Amino acid sequence: MKKTLALALAMMMAATMILTGCGGNSDTEERVVNVCSWGEYIDESLIDEFEEQTGIKVNYQTAESNEALYSLLKTGAGDYDVIVPSDYMIARLIDEGMLAELDYSNIPNYALIDDQYKGLSYDPDNKYTVPYTWGTLGIIYNTTMVDEEITSWDAMFDPKYEGNVLMIRNSRDALAAALLDLGYSLNTTDESQIREAYDLLKTAKENGVYQAFVMDEVFQKMEGGNAAIAMYYAGDYLTMLENNEDLAFVVPEEGSNWFVDAMCVLKNAQHKTEAEEWINFIASTESNLANMDYIWYASPNAEALEQYPDYYAEEYGEDLDQDLYEIMAAPADVLARCELYVNLPSDTLTLYNDLWTELGI
């Protein structure tokens, strides 16, 4: 399938490219930008291309989750300029005064972002963000290891899959699965509903349903057939499918989360001009096409999303499978049963943190 050569080249590049940590730079003559994003979430060749075009050195680092990123920011462990959090975390960072307003005159490619990804609840006045990707959260399963087509969040809590389920190591997503399975909104602030969801999750853990709570480890485990079921993201499923064609993906019938990850600049960024240059470069149609082809997440750039099937056909000499395209870029009927996460009130966030700690992950 399509990424065999691309991944081989990426591995060669990774072996030779030094991506330093996001620390400060004492050489004031060297232009730099410190970027923090997620693992497996960029075509690395774009970093080289940007450096060659601009002379700006990119220090690129990754965080495991929105919560891990937030912890890094609050403890001062990361000295970043650009970060790429998800919608609900962006809202929290705005509320806490941690993001800088962008100068969109330095980001002309913002005009290429489709209007449906602007003015959303996390940044209603379009002051702080440029969307990076969007997608859905669902269930990945190995069709040779389960005895039925999976359609419900029930599978994430079912004792018959004991020891074969990978739960996501992220409190917001894990509790969302339980809330949705119980028929509640993933944005509920009702303490009794959240505690009921926690009990469902805790019972499944105590009964040995979960082989592990995972983030990027999910790739090796699902690609290698080491687990039957996992909760993870559509774009990452498509990457796993390249290495294991027995895998399937579903957005459960109860609904799920559809998310937007967006590029932001921290208020204390030391390289804001360079940060906005980076954001503008990544927002271009060319960069979005390259990224979609590498990471399998849908682009908010309207031109790129429309052009991608033709881009794929030209690159690989075959048509893009429509079913795969609709997993990457979920159609309206799927999105209609999904919700964006919103930033929860502080007392609800405290409850989430307390329950996650109690769960012992």
Side-chain angles (χ1 to χ4, degrees), residues 175-304:
L175 283 165
L179 286 165
L180 290 164
D181 194 51
L182 293 166
Y184 303 137
S185 167
L186 50 71
N187 288 314
T188 184
T189 58
D190 185 311
E191 181 173 347
S192 64
Q193 293 180 355
I194 295 169
R195 288 190 178 278
E196 187 180 350
Y198 167 76
D199 289 340
L200 178 60
L201 191 61
K202 180 182 178 184
T203 298
K205 180 177 182 284
E206 291 176 346
N207 288 342
V209 173
Y210 303 129
Q211 181 185 119
F213 282 69
V214 298
M215 290 302 291
D216 285 347
E217 312 95 287
V218 71
F219 289 92
Q220 177 270 323
K221 287 180 175 290
M222 293 304 291
E223 289 173 357
N226 303 125
I229 299 170
M231 178 182 184
Y232 224 64
Y233 311 105
D236 292 321
Y237 157 71
L238 291 168
T239 295
M240 296 177 211
L241 186 64
E242 294 291 338
N243 296 311
N244 187 339
E245 294 186 355
D246 293 328
L247 300 179
F249 178 85
V250 63
V251 174
E253 59 196 8
E254 299 93 349
S256 188
N257 165 240
W258 81 275
F259 60 86
V260 177
D261 290 348
M263 296 176 284
C264 315
V265 176
L266 289 166
K267 184 170 284 187
N268 62 356
Q270 299 300 302
H271 312 99
K272 189 170 188 286
T273 299
E274 290 80 4
E276 290 175 342
E277 286 190 53
W278 168 260
I279 290 172
N280 188 59
F281 172 81
I282 294 297
S284 72
T285 298
E286 295 75 19
S287 293
N288 273 269
L289 284 167
N291 252 349
M292 274 195 292
D293 197 55
Y294 189 82
I295 66 174
W296 275 117
Y297 279 89
S299 171
N301 177 312
E303 287 183 351

Side-chain angles (χ1 to χ4, degrees), residues 68-78 80 83 93 98-99 266:
L69 173 63
Y70 180 79
S71 179
L72 288 171
L73 297 178
K74 295 300 283 188
T75 60
Y80 313 128
I83 57 173
L93 296 174
M98 296 175 67
L99 298 184
L266 289 166

Side-chain angles (χ1 to χ4, degrees), residues 100-104 110 123-129:
E101 293 191 17
L102 299 178
D103 183 348
Y104 287 95
Y110 182 67
D123 186 13
D125 298 320
N126 300 312
K127 292 182 178 180
Y128 301 94
T129 59

Side-chain angles (χ1 to χ4, degrees), residues 337-350:
R337 64 178 192 269
C338 296
E339 295 177 85
L340 275 176
Y341 287 135
V342 300
N343 184 33
L344 298 171
S346 59
D347 58 340
T348 305
L349 291 173
T350 298

